[in-house]
Amino acid sequence: MWQRIQTLYLAVSTALMVAMAFSAKAVTVGADASVIERISYCSYFPYIILIVIAALLDVLALTTYKFRVFQMRTAGLSAIITLALQIWLAVDFIATHDVVVFRLTAVFPLISIILNVLAMRGILADEMLVESAYHLRNSKKRKR
């Protein structure tokens, strides 16, 4: 399981989503450059729902390595939900960029999307390799 690169992609994506749940989204900065308030992802309920769903889908994709098609679809669904989260964060950034300073964790969904797409490509390559080996095996049996 861990020797495949797509498993590592999914594990890093899961770690990023879990790290987002426990970190600050942005800070409010005062006139003297001091931090007035930390705004976490948990303070806004839809954010935490999307983060939890994406993390659970990543964990599900990580643990269903024997069912490659299901694993690929789960990683794709996680990428779509994470894309929705990233768009929502971008809209919040555009609306409030004068008042708050966003943290580096605001780009974690983008990194997670890239990792999920790379994992999907790796899973698809494995599935194609298994299918081609299956077809070669069957063609040898028919020739005999």
Side-chain angles (χ1 to χ4, degrees), residues 19-32:
M20 269 185 76
F22 297 109
S23 62
K25 172 181 85 168
V27 293
T28 305
V29 180
D32 59 347

Side-chain angles (χ1 to χ4, degrees), residues 120-130:
M120 286 172 51
R121 284 183 57 200
I123 296 165
L124 180 64
D126 279 355
E127 183 63 25
M128 298 306 274
L129 181 65
V130 168

Side-chain angles (χ1 to χ4, degrees), residues 10 13-15 18 53-64 74 78:
L10 290 170
S13 176
T14 304
V18 170
I53 290 172
L56 288 176
L57 285 171
D58 282 342
V59 168
L60 186 62
L62 189 61
T63 57
T64 57
T74 307
S78 175

Side-chain angles (χ1 to χ4, degrees), residues 84-97:
L85 176 64
Q86 184 65 52
I87 290 171
W88 204 334
L89 283 170
V91 168
D92 275 355
F93 175 75
I94 291 169
T96 63
H97 75 281

Side-chain angles (χ1 to χ4, degrees), residues 21-62:
F22 297 109
S23 62
K25 172 181 85 168
V27 293
T28 305
V29 180
D32 59 347
S34 63
V35 174
I36 296 174
E37 177 187 12
R38 288 185 64 210
I39 304 167
S40 70
Y41 291 100
C42 296
S43 63
Y44 193 54
F45 193 67
Y47 281 153
I48 199 67
I49 292 291
L50 288 175
I51 290 170
V52 166
I53 290 172
L56 288 176
L57 285 171
D58 282 342
V59 168
L60 186 62
L62 189 61

Side-chain angles (χ1 to χ4, degrees), residues 135-144:
H135 288 299
L136 284 173
R137 209 174 315 132
N138 282 343
S139 67
K140 285 182 181 179
K141 286 181 182 178
R142 287 184 198 143
K143 287 183 181 179
R144 290 182 185 171

Side-chain angles (χ1 to χ4, degrees), residues 71-89:
Q71 185 182 27
M72 186 171 52
R73 289 181 181 167
T74 307
L77 184 59
S78 175
I80 291 170
I81 289 174
T82 309
L83 178 65
L85 176 64
Q86 184 65 52
I87 290 171
W88 204 334
L89 283 170

